[in-house]
Amino acid sequence: MTTSTLIIGAGPAGLAMAGRLTRAGVPYVLLEQQHQLAPAWAAHYDRVHLHTVKEYSHLPHIPFPDDYPRYVSRDQLLAYYQSYAAQMKIEPVLDTEVVQVRPEGSQWEVTARDGRKWRADRVVVCTGFNRRPYVPSWPGLEASSLEVLHSRDYRNGAPYRGKKVLVVGMGNTGAELAIDLHEHGAQPYISVRGPVNIILRDVFGRPTQLTAMALRKLPFWLGDAIGSLMSRLTVGDLRSYGIRRPRMAPARQLRELGRTPVIDVGTVRLIREGHIRILPGIRSVAGQEITFEDGRQMVFDAVVLATGYRAAVEAFVEDAAPLLNEHHVPAALWSDARPGLYFLGFDAYSSGILNSIYQDSEKILHHMQHQQASANIPAPIVR
């Protein structure tokens, strides 16, 4: 099978790229390994909402409905993606897992697990950050009697009512799962290994995302200083609760280390009120007892691993290592060393992943058109 452009992954990045190509009149094939659109979002826990405002989180050409709230819920987001695909006449090939992407002459050969193959002039990899759950291990964990699940498999805290639950990792997911566990009557604890940058989602009614976008226009040193000051003034000192603030400003941490600050939607208040307790990193596990790095030992009923994911692009893109950055994700949208190969949805370091997808999908389309023009191939017209 041959096509002009092949897109891998029907999440927001894949849908955005398909939408751009549809409007430009460029033929494409969109492959998705799961049986539905945006499967990573569908797998998120029940209470999840976007932390970015809807004005900067929609896909190209079709904004969110006017009656959607500023912070869109998971179910609303999934409904929007279904509607987007229908309106843009996007028909992905579902249940098709790509196991290899390799150059073949001047084209790219894409192989699915079931043996089907495609040849394409261009391939856009849109598999995202959340491709493979990261599951850490500690001495004694495998032999323990603890219930252990990754956050990918967590839906809500109802099964844990009255139980003592340890959430491992205080990123945005871990912080919100602790809220959800508390609201369902569980006793949540969060294991935090190192310093954490925390910012409020809204300050005096203004979304922090909009403030961060404005600060990016300033020199880094000035924007970082203002961002750190705002965090100190609005979040306060949490050292007495077990949370240290890193010396690095939230925006700088995102730029240089690829670590998103915790966008607080109520976790800090519950920590101050004693409903969520903070513990250090884990040293070992025995039965249901966990020993922490400070020597404390506590018994738990369950452990939820909010330990993130790995993009694992190198698992299916041949010789991908030179294209990856220090965070093991694609370093750029494309590389002159691999003409025709593009990566979309791997930049969470600027204005939020969904806004980056919106902007970067346009850049990729324009690059494709430029390459076509350079090869004396009539370029499609963007309507």
Side-chain angles (χ1 to χ4, degrees), residues 23-104:
R23 284 293 179 93
V26 179
Y28 65 87
V29 171
L30 172 60
L31 306 181
E32 168 54 51
Q33 71 170 348
Q34 301 296 338
H35 64 280
Q36 65 181 108
L37 297 176
W41 281 100
H44 274 308
Y45 48 96
D46 294 346
R47 67 171 291 128
V48 71
H49 284 63
L50 294 183
H51 287 158
T52 53
V53 297
K54 70 174 185 177
E55 306 96 287
Y56 291 101
S57 302
H58 62 81
L59 298 176
H61 310 300
I62 302 177
F64 283 118
D66 291 339
D67 61 351
Y68 270 31
R70 166 159 269 179
Y71 297 105
V72 177
S73 73
R74 180 198 66 180
D75 290 346
Q76 290 170 324
L77 190 67
L78 292 173
Y80 166 76
Y81 288 152
Q82 290 287 350
S83 175
Y84 184 88
Q87 291 182 66
M88 300 297 281
K89 296 181 171 56
I90 297 170
E91 298 179 353
V93 181
L94 301 175
D95 298 307
T96 303
E97 181 184 359
V98 171
V99 295
Q100 186 180 55
V101 176
R102 59 185 294 272
E104 184 65 34

Side-chain angles (χ1 to χ4, degrees), residues 199 206-217 251 350:
I199 57 178
R206 177 179 172 80
T208 296
Q209 180 193 12
L210 301 183
T211 302
M213 292 171 71
L215 292 179
R216 283 206 318 274
K217 299 176 182 178
S350 50

Side-chain angles (χ1 to χ4, degrees), residues 134-138 166-171 174 189-197 241-246 253 259 262 277-284 290-294 296 305-308 310:
Y134 173 64
V135 179
S137 183
W138 298 275
L166 179 67
V167 178
V168 180
M170 190 173 174
Y189 294 72
I190 306 178
S191 171
V192 182
R193 286 194 306 166
V196 180
N197 262 316
Y241 299 94
I243 298 177
R244 294 174 289 132
R245 185 194 309 277
Q253 174 184 284
R259 295 179 186 169
V262 174
R277 298 181 183 179
I278 304 299
L279 293 166
I282 296 172
R283 181 183 296 169
S284 62
I290 296 178
T291 301
F292 294 90
E293 290 175 349
D294 64 357
R296 270 184 285 182
L305 302 174
T307 47
R310 298 293 183 265

Side-chain angles (χ1 to χ4, degrees), residues 53-337:
V53 297
K54 70 174 185 177
E55 306 96 287
Y56 291 101
S57 302
H58 62 81
L59 298 176
H61 310 300
I62 302 177
F64 283 118
D66 291 339
D67 61 351
Y68 270 31
R70 166 159 269 179
Y71 297 105
V72 177
S73 73
R74 180 198 66 180
D75 290 346
Q76 290 170 324
L77 190 67
L78 292 173
Y80 166 76
Y81 288 152
Q82 290 287 350
S83 175
Y84 184 88
Q87 291 182 66
M88 300 297 281
K89 296 181 171 56
I90 297 170
E91 298 179 353
V93 181
L94 301 175
D95 298 307
T96 303
E97 181 184 359
V98 171
V99 295
Q100 186 180 55
V101 176
R102 59 185 294 272
E104 184 65 34
S106 61
Q107 292 185 306
W108 289 88
E109 183 180 80
V110 176
T111 304
R113 184 167 295 282
D114 62 9
R116 284 176 294 168
K117 294 180 184 290
W118 286 262
R119 286 282 187 92
D121 298 321
R122 297 173 293 267
V123 172
V124 188
V125 177
C126 301
T127 49
F129 289 100
N130 292 3
R131 183 167 179 268
R132 182 176 294 173
Y134 173 64
V135 179
S137 183
W138 298 275
L141 180 64
E142 292 186 4
S144 77
S145 54
L146 277 168
E147 176 188 353
V148 180
L149 71 157
H150 192 273
S151 60
R152 182 186 64 172
D153 300 313
Y154 178 100
R155 292 296 171 267
N156 60 62
Y160 304 101
R161 182 177 302 277
K163 295 184 178 181
K164 203 171 181 178
V165 182
L166 179 67
V167 178
V168 180
M170 190 173 174
N172 282 301
T173 296
E176 283 205 49
L177 294 191
I179 297 175
D180 191 66
L181 286 163
H182 166 71
E183 291 179 349
H184 280 89
Q187 302 171 51
Y189 294 72
I190 306 178
S191 171
V192 182
R193 286 194 306 166
V196 180
N197 262 316
I198 303 174
I199 57 178
L200 302 187
R201 188 182 67 179
D202 301 273
V203 178
F204 302 121
R206 177 179 172 80
T208 296
Q209 180 193 12
L210 301 183
T211 302
M213 292 171 71
L215 292 179
R216 283 206 318 274
K217 299 176 182 178
L218 301 175
F220 283 158
W221 68 267
L222 180 56
D224 289 348
I226 295 173
S228 291
L229 178 61
M230 288 181 60
S231 178
R232 288 197 299 271
L233 292 176
T234 57
V235 175
D237 189 345
L238 299 174
R239 284 177 294 180
S240 62
Y241 299 94
I243 298 177
R244 294 174 289 132
R245 185 194 309 277
R247 294 182 179 181
M248 187 175 287
R252 183 183 173 193
Q253 174 184 284
L254 186 58
R255 287 195 311 271
E256 298 183 6
L257 303 181
R259 295 179 186 169
T260 304
V262 174
I263 301 174
D264 181 58
V265 292
T267 308
V268 170
R269 176 180 61 81
L270 293 176
I271 290 171
R272 291 185 184 279
E273 292 174 356
H275 299 300
I276 298 173
R277 298 181 183 179
I278 304 299
L279 293 166
I282 296 172
R283 181 183 296 169
S284 62
V285 181
Q288 289 186 275
E289 185 177 76
I290 296 178
T291 301
F292 294 90
E293 290 175 349
D294 64 357
R296 270 184 285 182
Q297 295 179 318
M298 297 180 66
V299 173
F300 291 90
D301 297 298
V303 174
V304 181
L305 302 174
T307 47
Y309 298 81
R310 298 293 183 265
V313 169
E314 67 279 8
F316 65 96
V317 177
E318 187 175 278
D319 297 326
L323 305 176
L324 307 182
N325 63 18
E326 64 273 24
H327 311 306
H328 305 290
V329 298
L333 300 178
W334 59 79
S335 169
D336 292 339

